[in-house]
C-alpha cells in the first residue's frame, strides 16, 4: 500500500508542476510603457442660422445668411413697418472667448449712395435693436442710424460654452433716423 501512495503523490506533484509552468512563463514577459498624448486646440464652432418657430413678424424668412423684410413701409403713411425676427445658431466654444455683435452701417441704410442730402422731413435710414443671448451673456446693440459707421458691442465669456446663440432683431414701427413716423425715402436698405 505504501507504493500506491507514493505513486499518487508523484502524480499530484507532476500535476502541480504542469499548472505552475504557464504562470511562471507569464511572469517572465517584458513590459513597456507607451504614453498617449493629444491636444485639443481652442475652437469656437458656429452653425448655420435658422429661424425660431413662431417668432417672426414682417420677415419673409431666411435665404442662406440673408434676412429679408417683407413690407418695409406702411403703404398709407410710408413710415417704416414694425418687423422682428429670432435667429438661432448652434454653437460651441471650448475655451473662454469673446462674442462681438456688430452692425457695419449702424442701421439699415440705402444700398446705393446718394449724392445729395435727403429731402427734408423724410427718413433716409432705419434704426433697429439687436439682442443676443449666449451662455451667461444677455447683450444689446442699438443701431441708431444717426451716422453711417461700424457699431459693435463685445462681450467676454469667461468659460467654455455650448448651446444656442439666440439673436433677436427688432425694428420699431415708424422708426427713422430723422423723427418717429417720418416717411422713408424710396430705395433698397441693408445692413450686415
Amino acid at each position: 500500500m505504501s507504493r500506491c501512495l507514493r505513486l499518487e503523490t508523484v502524480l499530484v506533484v507532476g500535476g502541480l508542476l504542469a499548472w505552475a509552468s504557464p504562470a511562471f512563463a507569464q511572469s517572465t514577459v517584458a513590459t513597456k510603457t507607451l504614453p498617449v498624448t493629444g491636444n485639443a486646440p481652442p475652437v469656437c464652432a458656429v452653425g448655420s442660422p435658422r429661424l425660431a418657430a413662431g417668432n417672426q413678424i414682417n420677415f419673409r424668412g431666411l435665404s442662406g445668411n440673408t434676412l429679408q423684410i417683407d413690407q418695409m413701409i406702411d403703404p398709407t403713411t410710408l413710415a417704416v413697418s414694425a418687423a422682428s425676427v429670432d435667429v438661432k445658431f448652434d454653437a460651441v466654444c471650448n475655451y473662454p472667448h469673446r462674442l462681438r455683435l456688430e452692425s457695419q452701417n449702424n442701421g439699415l441704410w440705402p444700398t446705393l449712395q446718394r449724392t445729395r442730402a435727403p429731402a427734408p422731413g423724410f427718413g433716409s435710414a432705419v434704426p433697429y435693436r439687436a439682442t443676443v443671448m449666449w451662455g451667461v451673456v444677455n447683450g444689446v446693440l442699438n443701431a441708431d442710424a444717426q451716422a453711417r459707421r461700424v457699431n459693435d458691442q463685445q462681450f467676454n465669456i469667461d468659460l467654455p460654452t455650448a448651446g444656442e446663440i439666440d439673436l433677436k432683431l427688432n425694428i420699431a414701427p415708424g422708426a427713422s433716423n430723422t423723427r418717429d413716423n417720418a416717411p422713408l425715402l424710396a430705395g433698397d436698405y441693408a445692413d450686415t
Side-chain angles (χ1 to χ4, degrees):
M1 271 194 162
S2 69
R3 276 189 161 191
C4 280
L5 285 175
R6 277 190 190 176
L7 190 54
E8 286 179 20
T9 305
V10 170
L11 290 175
V12 170
V13 170
L16 287 175
L17 286 175
W19 270 72
S21 294
F24 180 72
Q26 285 180 346
S27 66
T28 61
V29 173
T31 61
K32 180 75 174 167
T33 303
L34 179 64
V36 177
T37 63
N39 179 23
V43 175
C44 282
V46 180
S48 297
R50 68 183 187 289
L51 296 179
N55 291 331
Q56 168 177 326
I57 298 169
N58 196 18
F59 272 90
R60 286 190 185 155
L62 186 61
S63 176
N65 289 335
T66 303
L67 289 165
Q68 187 169 8
I69 297 170
D70 191 34
Q71 188 172 354
M72 186 76 168
I73 60 170
D74 178 300
T76 306
T77 64
L78 305 183
V80 170
S81 296
S84 65
V85 67
D86 188 354
V87 181
K88 296 187 180 287
F89 305 82
D90 289 328
V92 61
C93 288
N94 66 355
Y95 67 103
H97 54 283
R98 177 179 300 139
L99 175 69
R100 186 171 80 204
L101 191 55
E102 178 182 286
S103 164
Q104 288 184 357
N105 293 319
N106 190 35
L108 297 169
W109 287 80
T111 56
L112 298 175
Q113 295 287 343
R114 293 193 170 95
T115 56
R116 58 182 184 213
F122 283 82
S124 59
V126 179
Y128 66 87
R129 180 181 174 105
T131 59
V132 66
M133 293 187 321
W134 168 239
V136 297
V137 167
N138 288 320
V140 176
L141 172 75
N142 285 312
D144 63 14
Q146 293 303 305
R148 192 173 200 160
R149 63 178 176 82
V150 172
N151 181 1
D152 73 335
Q153 291 291 322
Q154 297 183 29
F155 310 97
N156 292 325
I157 295 103
D158 293 331
L159 44 115
T161 306
E164 288 182 332
I165 296 173
D166 187 4
L167 176 65
K168 294 178 181 169
L169 303 174
N170 186 43
I171 299 172
S176 168
N177 64 333
T178 57
R179 62 177 172 80
D180 287 345
N181 296 309
L184 188 64
L185 292 172
D188 293 327
Y189 290 75
D191 192 15
T192 301

